[in-house]
Amino acid sequence: MSADLIPGTIDHAGFVARPDGTVVGDDGASGALAAALPYTGRLARRMGELVEAGDLRALEAIGLSRLTVGVTWTPAGEGTYRAQVTPLEARAVPHYMVVGAVDTAAALNHCLERILTLDGVRWSSVVTAGSRVIAARGEGQDLHHLAEVGNRMLGILRSLEDRHTTGFLRLRFEQGALIGASLGRHALVTYADRAGDDELVAMIDEVRAVLAGHDLAAVTTEFDPDAREPEPAVETVEPEPVAAPPLVGARFAGAGERAPRAPRRSRFRSR
């Protein structure tokens, strides 16, 4: 562990954000980065609970610079963030040639299948700015909390926007890591036990190139409750009146038919 991540030590490239709001050192962003870390920590800690990955231990943002943050928690759930910011050399994003017109849903599925080929990746999903899950592949595609996890990842990515635009974000938990990357206004969220930085950067570059010309917000899938077709209306038909069944049996013999009445005889006799 580097000296700037050890409690009580700090150097010119690092800073510490404490639970009481005080900051020791310079975050290089006029305090904005240090102020954002408690917010990102709360969002990330809940994500670990949702995906059953344990507690948050570290955060890494790789892009225009490399941000590495170690996290320790108090019994009250407040975090102390020990961070280091390391400049990175400017990286030329490769150009990809996407051959053939592919509909957006097929392009999404292709990209997620490609991500699953990386060693250690268990599942991957894409969540829109409107918190809709529009694609998911892997062991966790039936995870009921994908939308909430994606929404929280979007919040963290936006809070660190200038540091991940050409790279990705990694949240390290006790039992795995969540990888987040911006796809325009939307987010790619991947769960990985292990995956190297170079492999992730190259794959995310490819995914961004494939999806660059697609309107992800317009995609509807089975993961989107609003996309489900309504149940067909059931036509109700009024039942026709049914005639009462005829009375049968000796007791009711002749019932229903009235015999003609015999003429009544007069009480008076003629003489």
Side-chain angles (χ1 to χ4, degrees):
M1 179 179 292
S2 59
D4 58 290
L5 298 182
I6 300 175
T9 66
I10 199 75
D11 63 19
H12 67 281
F15 65 93
V16 176
R18 294 172 174 165
D20 61 2
T22 59
V23 177
V24 179
D26 183 9
D27 68 352
S30 302
L33 177 57
L37 289 182
Y39 169 72
T40 62
R42 288 191 296 270
L43 291 178
R45 194 177 195 192
R46 174 59 179 157
M47 293 164 69
E49 296 173 357
L50 292 172
V51 301
E52 300 180 353
D55 221 342
L56 178 69
R57 292 301 183 220
L59 176 153
E60 298 168 339
I62 300 172
L64 302 179
S65 60
R66 183 186 187 98
L67 170 67
T68 305
V69 183
V71 187
T72 56
W73 301 97
T74 67
E78 298 177 320
T80 297
Y81 304 89
R82 298 176 177 84
Q84 179 184 14
V85 181
T86 305
L88 295 177
E89 294 183 3
R91 186 176 65 88
V93 178
H95 293 281
Y96 292 86
M97 181 177 294
V98 181
V99 180
V102 181
D103 66 75
T104 305
L108 281 167
N109 291 332
H110 166 78
C111 289
L112 295 190
E113 291 293 344
R114 290 280 295 135
I115 293 172
L116 289 177
T117 63
L118 294 179
D119 186 32
V121 171
R122 288 173 49 186
W123 57 261
S124 188
S125 64
V126 175
V127 182
T128 68
S131 303
R132 294 190 303 111
V133 180
I134 57 173
R137 287 289 183 275
E139 298 176 13
Q141 63 179 318
D142 58 346
L143 186 67
H144 301 300
H145 307 296
L146 280 178
E148 183 177 350
V149 170
N151 188 44
R152 288 173 177 271
M153 183 64 80
L154 278 167
I156 296 175
L157 289 171
R158 289 165 184 161
S159 70
L160 304 173
E161 186 171 0
D162 63 335
R163 300 186 181 278
H164 70 269
T165 51
T166 61
F168 65 91
L169 173 74
R170 180 189 283 115
L171 303 174
R172 294 189 181 275
F173 298 93
E174 293 172 313
Q175 301 172 22
L178 281 173
I179 311 299
S182 294
L183 302 174
R185 296 172 53 247
H186 317 297
L188 171 70
V189 184
T190 300
Y191 187 93
D193 296 321
R194 58 191 177 278
D197 293 353
D198 294 340
E199 292 176 314
L200 285 170
V201 168
M203 185 61 70
I204 291 170
D205 283 344
E206 179 182 329
V207 169
R208 284 174 172 149
V210 171
L211 299 179
H214 294 275
D215 181 10
L216 301 185
V219 176
T220 56
T221 71
E222 68 272 18
F223 300 102
D224 179 10
D226 297 332
R228 296 176 183 172
E229 295 183 0
E231 294 289 335
V234 179
E235 183 180 358
T236 57
V237 180
E238 292 293 332
E240 296 182 0
V242 180
L247 301 176
V248 295
R251 180 181 178 184
F252 301 104
E257 298 182 2
R258 177 172 294 185
R261 297 179 61 180
R264 182 178 297 180
R265 296 181 62 185
S266 173
R267 294 181 302 169
F268 300 99
R269 296 180 180 179
S270 58
R271 292 182 180 179

